[in-house]
């Protein structure tokens, strides 16, 4: 029967990268890539839009370290807006007016001191009711000088010859200004000397620490957010709040209703839109004319049971390769989402044609992921659950796997499980291992950049004997490696 003449589909363990002549040292391999048409990243890695993986804390850390976090959508629209704003304002050069702690000229030294302590800042511009900057007060102006009485007006203790900065100041100028005058903070004023914000030395030094950070054109950290194709209000709010990429977040984006919704959203927002998930050439063909990125993955996720529950799916290397065949031709970036356990899987996904990879379980055990650390049998874990698990479906308003809330728990038909993953420490060290392993792969193939690697890499097919050989074998592991644990 022709029904039984079926094509083969491969996944990570079925293939290896063929080693090639190389002059590329892994450290020199450049991981710069794109996650969508207009968002470039320093490392091609995204954290999954899951309620045990990405909220503002994770998204901030991901962007600071060169990748992109995608905030999940198991929260209401107001909470989502707040989460986006937290990321966008985390490393802002100029703290905006509504977040600046100020002092009124009628306040006493004591009152100002208390306000600054409460807000956790070391200084405050003194501003009159018109918003004009009269001076600046810092805790060092107050405490060490016995001449200053706690009941004095702040205007007696403040520095009144204030150094201010214009609104278009850049980080270098701000640094030089503060360095020259040996000051810690500079009020930013408009043409009429009205306060519009504040630049602090602490903020500048923090920005300098993150050389690889992914920022928008105003210097704010980039972030992605998951939205439903059927909830344009959420998409518009996310766009308004400054999200850089909207991820149309579905389990099956070759559903034509999803595509209609995604198209409509694309027309009304400024942000890039990435549509997913898909796993075939035909699905990619429906998306390439309007999507700014395509996300691939039908069932590969560690907590995902879609393939067993529904009988449908596509092994991930084949899925990525099929989608990339179409998408690369139209210059639409591809993201490989799910199933990545090791850095080797991540770079194999790129070899198959992905421009970036998305991971859930790999990051769920880090400090930056939401959720607390639990101890079982003396080992530390963090909660990690599928967005199609009963727990996640119940606690959110997500329609990724569900159209309507059932009345009884046992009416849910989940496509994911609730689990725990070993506690791993900081995101920074996990990302370092992941990116470092990917660079090694580029070294073995002799490609210095991601586009070159996509061109130059070739796969060999691996048998199950070959796969057993790949893992540590015939030994007892005595010390844990930071980037490997046997399956
Ligand atoms: P992994 O990195 O293998 O843990 O996979 C994470 C991915 O799994 C997510 O980015 C998402 O595409 C998918 N996922 C999330 N929830 C579920 C589910 O409940 N089936 N699947």
């Amino acid at each position: 029967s022709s029904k039984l003449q079926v094509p083969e589909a491969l996944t990570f363990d079925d293939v290896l990268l063929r080693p090639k002549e190389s002059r590329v040292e892994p450290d020199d391999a450049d991981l710069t890539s794109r996650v969508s048409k207009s968002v470039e990243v320093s490392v091609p890695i995204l954290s999954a839009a899951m309620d045990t993986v990405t909220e503002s804390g994770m998204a901030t850390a991901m962007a600071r370290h060169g990748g992109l976090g995608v905030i999940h959508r198991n929260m209401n629209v107001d909470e989502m807006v707040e989460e986006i704003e937290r990321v966008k304002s985390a490393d802002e050069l100029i703290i905006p007016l509504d977040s600046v702690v100020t002092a009124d000229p009628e306040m006493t030294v004591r009152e100002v001191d208390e306000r600054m302590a409460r807000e956790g800042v070391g200084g405050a511009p003194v501003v009159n009711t018109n918003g004009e900057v009269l001076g600046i007060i810092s805790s060092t102006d107050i405490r060490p000088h016995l001449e200053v009485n706690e009941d004095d007006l702040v205007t007696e203790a403040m520095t009144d010859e204030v150094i201010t900065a214009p609104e278009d100041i850049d980080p270098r100028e701000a640094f030089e200004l503060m360095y020259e005058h040996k000051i810690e903070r500079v009020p930013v004023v408009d043409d009429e000397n009205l306060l519009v914000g504040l630049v602090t030395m602490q903020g500048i030094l923090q920005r300098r620490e993150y050389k690889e950070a992914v920022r928008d054109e105003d210097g704010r950290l980039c972030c992605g957010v998951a939205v439903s194709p059927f909830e344009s209000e959420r998409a518009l709010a996310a766009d308004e709040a400054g999200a850089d990429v909207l991820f149309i977040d579905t389990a099956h984006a070759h559903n034509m209703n999803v595509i209609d919704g995604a198209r409509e959203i694309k027309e009304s927002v400024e942000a890039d839109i990435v549509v997913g998930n898909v796993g075939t050439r035909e699905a990619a063909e429906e998306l390439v004319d309007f999507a700014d990125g395509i996300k691939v993955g039908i069932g590969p996720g560690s907590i995902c049971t879609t393939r067993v529950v529904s009988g449908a799916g596509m092994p991930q290397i084949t899925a990525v390769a099929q989608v990339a065949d179409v998408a690369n031709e139209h210059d639409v970036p591809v993201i490989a989402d799910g199933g990545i356990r090791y850095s080797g899987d991540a770079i194999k996904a790129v070899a198959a044609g992905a421009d970036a990879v998305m991971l859930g379980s790999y990051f769920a055990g880090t400090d930056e992921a939401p959720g607390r650390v639990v101890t079982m049998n003396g080992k530390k874990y963090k909660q990690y659950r599928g967005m199609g698990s009963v727990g996640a479906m119940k606690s959110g308003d997500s329609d990724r796997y569900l159209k309507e809330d059932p009345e009884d728990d046992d009416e849910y038909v989940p496509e994911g499980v609730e689990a725990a993953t070993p506690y791993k420490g900081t995101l920074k060290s996990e990302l370092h291992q992941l990116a470092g392993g990917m660079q090694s792969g580029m070294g073995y193939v002799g490609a210095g950049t991601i586009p070159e690697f996509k061109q130059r890499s070739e796969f060999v097919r691996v048998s199950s004997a070959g796969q057993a050989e790949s893992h540590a074998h015939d030994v007892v592991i005595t010390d844990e490696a930071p980037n490997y644990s046997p399956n």
Side-chain angles (χ1 to χ4, degrees):
S1 155
S2 63
K3 263 262 148 100
L4 297 178
Q5 279 163 14
V6 289
E8 187 176 50
L10 305 176
T11 190
F12 300 106
D13 281 347
D14 294 318
V15 294
L16 280 170
L17 298 170
R18 191 163 179 274
K20 289 191 157 183
E21 182 184 306
S22 176
R23 277 188 188 281
V24 176
E25 299 303 335
D27 279 350
D28 300 331
D30 178 358
L31 286 170
T32 304
S33 190
R34 289 186 305 169
V35 298
S36 64
K37 283 195 175 161
S38 60
V39 177
E40 195 181 270
V41 286
S42 317
V43 293
I45 299 170
L46 298 91
S47 63
M50 299 172 72
D51 62 7
T52 48
V53 181
T54 311
E55 291 182 349
S56 53
M58 175 65 78
T60 301
M62 285 295 296
R64 281 178 177 164
H65 296 300
L68 189 80
V70 184
I71 296 168
H72 69 86
R73 63 182 172 98
N74 243 12
M75 58 178 96
N76 67 39
V77 173
D78 291 341
E79 288 164 343
M80 175 201 69
V81 166
E82 252 175 55
E83 289 292 291
I84 295 170
E85 284 172 350
R86 273 197 200 120
V87 183
K88 298 306 292 183
S89 62
D91 280 1
E92 237 164 7
L93 175 66
I94 299 177
I95 301 166
L97 183 57
D98 55 7
S99 306
V100 177
V101 177
T102 58
D104 310 327
E106 304 81 44
M107 290 172 98
T108 64
V109 166
R110 181 188 303 112
E111 286 167 331
V112 175
D113 199 23
E114 280 166 4
R115 177 181 285 190
M116 293 196 302
R118 199 167 51 239
E119 303 283 346
V121 300
V126 182
V127 180
N128 68 16
T129 41
N130 299 331
E132 277 165 285
V133 180
L134 307 178
I136 188 159
I137 181 91
S138 77
S139 30
T140 47
D141 294 332
I142 299 175
R143 291 214 184 87
H145 304 298
L146 294 170
E147 310 94 74
V148 179
N149 195 311
E150 287 211 308
D151 298 316
D152 287 348
L153 285 180
V154 64
T155 41
E156 288 172 46
M158 71 184 189
T159 308
D160 44 18
E161 282 177 20
V162 203
I163 314 285
T164 59
E167 286 172 272
D168 59 359
I169 192 154
D170 68 32
R172 164 166 291 274
E173 291 165 347
F175 179 81
E176 279 165 5
L177 191 65
M178 283 187 272
Y179 188 78
E180 185 189 333
H181 295 278
K182 303 271 176 290
I183 50 179
E184 289 288 320
R185 49 191 73 74
V186 178
V188 178
V189 296
D190 66 11
D191 301 342
E192 274 140 40
N193 202 34
L194 301 182
L195 184 68
V196 294
L198 187 75
V199 180
T200 69
M201 188 58 114
Q202 193 192 4
I204 293 197
L205 294 179
Q206 186 164 328
R207 286 167 62 97
R208 289 199 164 186
E209 225 180 281
Y210 304 115
K211 294 203 172 58
E212 306 230 282
V214 174
R215 300 184 189 281
D216 64 19
E217 54 194 17
D218 299 323
R220 303 180 303 171
L221 293 173
C222 284
C223 83
V225 60
V227 299
S228 157
F230 308 119
E231 205 190 352
S232 52
E233 184 212 342
R234 180 181 288 264
L236 292 178
D239 189 45
E240 182 85 357
D244 300 275
V245 192
L246 306 186
F247 286 74
I248 309 295
D249 176 47
T250 74
H252 183 37
H254 202 179
N255 174 325
M256 298 311 285
N257 299 322
V258 166
I259 295 181
D260 292 345
R263 265 183 204 282
E264 238 179 88
I265 289 174
K266 168 69 191 166
E267 262 149 43
S268 46
V269 298
E270 231 174 84
D272 273 6
I273 74 154
V274 170
V275 186
N277 280 4
V278 296
T280 63
R281 193 172 282 118
E282 305 86 83
E285 267 154 15
E286 296 290 342
L287 301 177
V288 282
D289 70 305
F290 74 98
D292 301 303
I294 301 178
K295 194 150 67 67
V296 182
I298 310 289
S302 59
I303 35 48
C304 178
T305 54
T306 293
R307 293 182 191 167
V308 245
V309 170
S310 72
M314 184 65 97
Q316 186 69 340
I317 287 288
T318 295
V320 171
Q322 285 210 2
V323 170
D325 273 349
V326 178
N328 287 349
E329 218 163 89
H330 290 80
D331 198 30
V332 178
V334 172
I335 299 166
D337 172 18
I340 291 169
R341 304 148 301 170
Y342 303 108
S343 47
D345 293 343
I347 197 68
K348 285 177 193 176
V350 177
D355 298 274
V357 293
M358 176 178 269
L359 299 89
S361 75
Y362 201 95
F363 297 139
T366 63
D367 294 326
E368 286 80 354
R372 56 192 191 90
V373 178
V374 294
T375 309
M376 294 189 279
N377 295 330
K379 265 201 88 176
K380 287 178 168 177
Y381 295 87
K382 281 190 94 160
Q383 183 196 22
Y384 179 48
R385 65 181 183 190
M387 295 307 285
S389 66
V390 173
M393 286 196 284
K394 263 164 66 178
S395 78
D397 49 9
S398 160
D399 55 13
R400 193 174 204 255
Y401 297 89
L402 191 73
K403 266 276 155 73
E404 269 165 47
D405 281 336
E407 292 182 353
D408 275 322
D409 282 7
D410 56 11
E411 285 177 33
Y412 284 104
V413 183
E415 290 185 26
V417 295
E418 298 175 66
T421 181
Y423 170 69
K424 282 182 166 170
T426 64
L427 174 76
K428 187 179 175 197
S429 65
E430 288 306 296
L431 265 181
H432 173 76
Q433 291 300 331
L434 193 55
M438 293 176 81
Q439 287 177 303
S440 286
M442 295 169 76
Y444 280 107
V445 168
T449 66
I450 292 287
E452 205 185 318
F453 178 80
K454 283 172 64 175
Q455 285 294 321
R456 191 173 157 84
S457 52
E458 283 172 17
F459 286 125
V460 290
R461 179 87 157 82
V462 179
S463 66
S464 57
Q467 205 218 313
E469 185 184 66
S470 297
H471 278 269
H473 57 85
D474 302 298
V475 293
V476 179
I477 294 178
T478 55
D479 294 276
E480 255 175 59
N483 55 0
Y484 177 75
S485 62
N487 237 333

